[in-house]
Amino acid sequence: MYDALTSRYTFACPSAGESRVVLSAFRTIEPLAGTSHPVVYRVRFACPCGDEHDGLVSHDELDWAPLGLDGGVFLNLMTSRVEPVATELAEIAAARIKAGEWPWSFFCYPEERPRPVSPSSFLLLTPGRRALGLAIRCPACRRTSVNVVSHEHVDVPFHNDREVGVVEHVFAEDVLATVEEFQAELWSSRFDARRLALE
Ligand SMILES: [Zn+2]
Ligand SMILES: [Zn+2]
């Protein structure tokens, strides 16, 4: 499902058979009703074929696979052998997290502070001309904030934009129910730049 080498998720596509997309191609992420442990997420993604489709992703694939904690192999150029990627990437990821770096972060508007986050807390992603509007349910206060970020901020673990745009608006609990309204509001809102440094 997730390929750590290309940072892409594989989903079924009705016209192409299969498509491979990055995390920032996801449009909505919601826990599937009736699944608890482990939670399965229904994602809607923008497919290269031009349509949007639904796919299912496990919690591990969403939050851990991009860190290399979910298997896969890579070609070791030093030994010319194909080797499992998990341990190596996992060690790097663990060391960086211990050093205080976090793979993903966002600015919580109700709390007025940056917070670490995982992709399973992303609710909605909506592309603008260059940036990406990202609605996040804060893992700490459970309220929804909207940040305007680069694609890399989402797609590349440990790449955190130094500053993100913060929409100065407390969004309704059920932001997913009003996707179109949300998109219209997002790109007409005023953003304020906030620094994302996590202490
Ligand atoms: Zn497609
Ligand atoms: Zn918060």
Side-chain angles (χ1 to χ4, degrees):
M1 271 289 276
Y2 185 83
D3 179 358
L5 280 186
T6 57
S7 307
R8 279 174 160 75
Y9 291 87
T10 305
F11 291 109
C13 163
S15 48
E18 197 179 84
S19 71
R20 293 149 62 78
V21 298
V22 290
L23 186 57
S24 63
F26 287 15
R27 292 293 166 261
T28 57
I29 301 176
E30 53 181 327
L32 200 60
T35 63
S36 50
H37 288 287
V39 183
V40 174
Y41 294 82
R42 187 210 315 272
V43 306
R44 175 146 277 255
F45 64 96
C47 185
C49 79
D51 273 338
E52 292 186 357
H53 318 300
D54 290 327
L56 297 178
V57 195
S58 72
H59 184 259
D60 281 2
E61 280 169 321
L62 207 46
D63 286 355
W64 300 115
L67 304 179
L69 304 180
D70 199 38
V73 293
F74 77 112
L75 177 64
N76 185 331
L77 296 175
M78 306 297 285
T79 61
S80 302
R81 277 206 304 254
V82 173
E83 296 178 355
V85 81
T87 41
E88 197 138 330
L89 282 181
E91 274 168 26
I92 297 169
R96 296 182 77 164
I97 291 169
K98 258 189 234 157
E101 281 185 76
W102 196 256
W104 295 274
S105 59
F106 79 107
F107 195 92
C108 178
Y109 175 63
E111 294 185 282
E112 264 299 320
R113 55 166 294 175
R115 287 266 186 206
V117 72
S118 297
S120 58
S121 294
F122 298 170
L123 299 174
L124 201 69
L125 296 86
T126 181
R129 244 183 307 165
R130 277 186 315 217
L132 198 62
L134 177 61
I136 295 166
R137 175 167 296 132
C138 179
C141 73
R142 312 299 298 161
R143 283 173 294 182
T144 301
S145 290
V146 174
N147 286 184
V148 177
V149 303
S150 70
H151 285 74
E152 292 75 25
H153 183 82
V154 167
D155 289 331
V156 185
F158 298 105
H159 172 104
N160 288 297
D161 292 348
R162 287 161 62 90
E163 282 188 348
V164 297
V166 176
V167 178
E168 297 186 310
H169 178 80
V170 176
F171 285 85
E173 181 70 19
D174 200 6
V175 74
L176 283 178
T178 53
V179 172
E180 279 165 28
E181 212 175 297
F182 164 80
Q183 286 165 340
E185 189 170 0
L186 169 60
W187 298 115
S188 60
S189 316
R190 211 163 66 79
F191 312 135
D192 229 36
R194 304 292 162 90
R195 293 186 62 81
L196 252 198
L198 293 163
E199 276 94 58

